[in-house]
Amino acid sequence: MIWAAMLLALLLVGLVVHRMNFERVYRRLSELSSGVSRDKLYELLSVDHGANFSAMVFSSWVAFFVAFMYYILPPLIPWLLRSGFPIASNYGLVLFAVIVASLASFLLWASRSFPVWLRLSEIYRIYPLSRNEMSLCAATVFVLVVSAGLSICNFVNYPFVNRTLETAAWLLLLVALILLFIPVFNEFVEAGR
């Protein structure tokens, strides 16, 4: 559970830094012109990075939530796995992934009505991204696939968990989350100079 707390803390830190970046821009522009709304400013600052990049980022966030659920579920419901419930079978794992991916997709879609700084799938729209940053964000899908694969191995064999696989899977999930927030942290560092 320490790993899960670290990931949630990093996710929260990334969102707070994103909000700080946006509020800094909003504060500077509101000094020049009063009456600018945050939503209107967000629309004006939005940069379209292309449909392929948007789809890859959306897929990355969905894969993150699926991989994360594969980690936190076995310790939360060990009685279900020991009872022979078919979630640990091949079909159960696929069904579980589809359900979590559907819920994550709905959450990301519904987040469009959230405050600007909580829209995970649109987080990159206010940042100018280099080709390298786009590649790093897109690479997270592959990192998360490997991470989820390692956790599935432990999921099927639960409670006989291989600690090496578990640690490797958590580290890959942590790396993926850092890669997803690289543009946000880069902007924060650049603005601090």
Side-chain angles (χ1 to χ4, degrees):
M1 283 296 159
I2 292 173
W3 287 100
M6 277 183 11
L7 285 171
L8 291 175
L10 182 60
L11 180 66
L12 185 62
V13 166
L15 288 173
V16 167
V17 170
H18 173 61
R19 181 172 188 201
M20 289 169 56
N21 289 340
F22 183 76
E23 288 296 323
R24 184 183 57 247
V25 172
Y26 177 73
R27 192 173 49 251
R28 288 182 183 166
L29 287 177
S30 62
E31 289 171 1
L32 299 173
S33 162
S34 61
V36 176
S37 73
R38 283 176 172 77
D39 290 334
K40 184 67 175 168
L41 177 64
Y42 188 78
E43 274 181 38
L44 294 173
L45 289 177
S46 290
V47 176
D48 189 16
H49 296 295
N52 289 341
F53 178 74
S54 297
M56 188 64 77
V57 166
F58 191 86
S59 301
S60 296
W61 281 110
V62 170
F64 171 77
F65 287 119
V66 170
F68 187 68
M69 289 307 294
Y70 272 124
Y71 297 122
I72 64 171
L73 190 67
L76 293 178
I77 57 164
W79 54 270
L80 188 61
L81 296 173
R82 282 194 298 266
S83 70
F85 190 74
I87 195 168
S89 68
N90 292 337
Y91 300 116
L93 289 171
V94 171
L95 179 64
F96 177 72
V98 167
I99 290 171
V100 172
S102 299
L103 289 173
S105 298
F106 178 75
L107 176 70
L108 289 172
W109 175 79
S111 73
R112 292 183 303 169
S113 62
F114 291 175
V116 170
W117 61 280
L118 281 175
R119 299 174 189 170
L120 283 176
S121 62
E122 297 179 10
I123 203 167
Y124 309 101
R125 294 185 65 109
I126 66 168
Y127 300 106
L129 299 178
S130 68
R131 188 173 290 249
N132 289 338
E133 287 176 330
M134 286 182 156
S135 298
L136 287 174
C137 288
T140 57
V141 172
F142 304 110
V143 172
L144 288 165
V145 165
V146 172
S147 178
L150 293 175
S151 70
I152 287 170
C153 290
N154 275 339
F155 193 97
V156 171
N157 296 322
Y158 192 82
F160 306 106
V161 176
N162 183 334
R163 296 294 175 202
T164 305
L165 287 180
E166 183 180 34
T167 303
W170 277 109
L171 285 174
L172 286 173
L173 195 59
L174 187 64
V175 166
L177 192 56
I178 290 169
L179 289 175
L180 283 169
F181 278 113
I182 276 182
V184 176
F185 294 136
N186 279 348
E187 180 69 23
F188 183 75
V189 169
E190 292 290 323
R193 290 182 184 173

